[in-house]
Amino acid sequence: MNTSLADELSPLWRNFSLNWNSRDFAALRALWHPEVAPVYFAEEIDRPLLDWPAIESYWHDVRRSFIALDTQIMDLRSLPRGENQAASLFVMRWQALMSNNQAPIAGDTRVIANLARHGNDWKITQYVEAPLAPIVYMRKLYQRIAENQLWVSR
């Protein structure tokens, strides 16, 4: 891992998380490269979003659907991908409270994002969420529950 690159990209991902948490989508959009067509693939939709009207429509639905949203970026790794290009990989833990007053929901999703320099700043060009396959997710869930149980010998 390139430590200086990770240090350079950490503020971008901190702002990404803060902007998601506050649902400030104008600030979130400002983290994207203004001269590159975006690619955005959220885990809960079946097709990639490939232009700003589609992404902003998705964000509008998020704003309308969620009362509260919290994201946490974990295990951030950043890799150089050529001159003025980089990739970031991380796990995003999210928690949400839906506007229909259901109990909160949460999950972990893996993310890969491609970035490019724009002036002195790094900007997102492609963002893809990749959840675990259901069978793998369920196995990990059962393991996590078992690790938290108190086992009593009989």
Side-chain angles (χ1 to χ4, degrees):
M1 179 172 80
N2 185 329
T3 304
S4 64
L5 180 60
D7 291 342
E8 282 184 51
L9 293 175
S10 289
L12 179 139
W13 294 116
R14 218 175 0 264
N15 287 332
F16 181 88
S17 187
L18 290 170
N19 294 335
W20 259 111
N21 295 350
S22 64
R23 289 170 287 152
D24 184 346
F25 296 117
L28 191 60
R29 181 174 174 168
L31 299 176
W32 285 74
H33 199 295
E35 298 168 1
V36 176
V39 173
Y40 190 108
F41 213 151
E43 71 174 309
E44 71 277 10
I45 57 178
D46 62 352
R47 295 180 182 206
L49 305 173
L50 303 174
D51 58 41
W52 283 111
I55 294 170
E56 289 175 341
S57 176
Y58 166 74
W59 286 342
H60 174 76
D61 290 344
V62 169
R63 183 181 286 113
R64 191 170 31 88
S65 300
F66 295 98
I67 295 170
L69 186 61
D70 182 66
T71 61
Q72 179 184 4
I73 292 175
M74 304 178 302
D75 302 325
L76 176 63
R77 290 178 282 163
S78 297
L79 308 166
R81 288 291 180 239
E83 189 173 337
N84 297 318
Q85 303 285 317
S88 286
L89 301 95
F90 55 88
V91 173
M92 184 170 61
R93 175 161 290 159
W94 58 269
Q95 298 179 66
L97 181 59
M98 306 290 287
S99 59
N100 58 10
N101 295 324
Q102 293 179 358
I105 59 174
D108 291 340
T109 191
R110 301 165 300 170
V111 175
I112 183 168
N114 291 315
L115 305 110
R117 278 200 189 276
H118 181 70
N120 292 327
D121 297 322
W122 284 99
K123 298 291 186 175
I124 303 165
T125 59
Q126 299 174 332
Y127 174 89
V128 178
E129 296 175 351
L132 291 171
I135 193 164
V136 176
Y137 185 84
M138 292 305 296
R139 185 179 322 123
K140 287 184 174 284
L141 177 63
Y142 282 122
Q143 288 169 344
R144 194 174 323 158
I145 291 169
E147 289 168 359
N148 292 321
Q149 297 298 312
L150 176 62
W151 295 96
V152 179
S153 299
R154 293 183 189 209

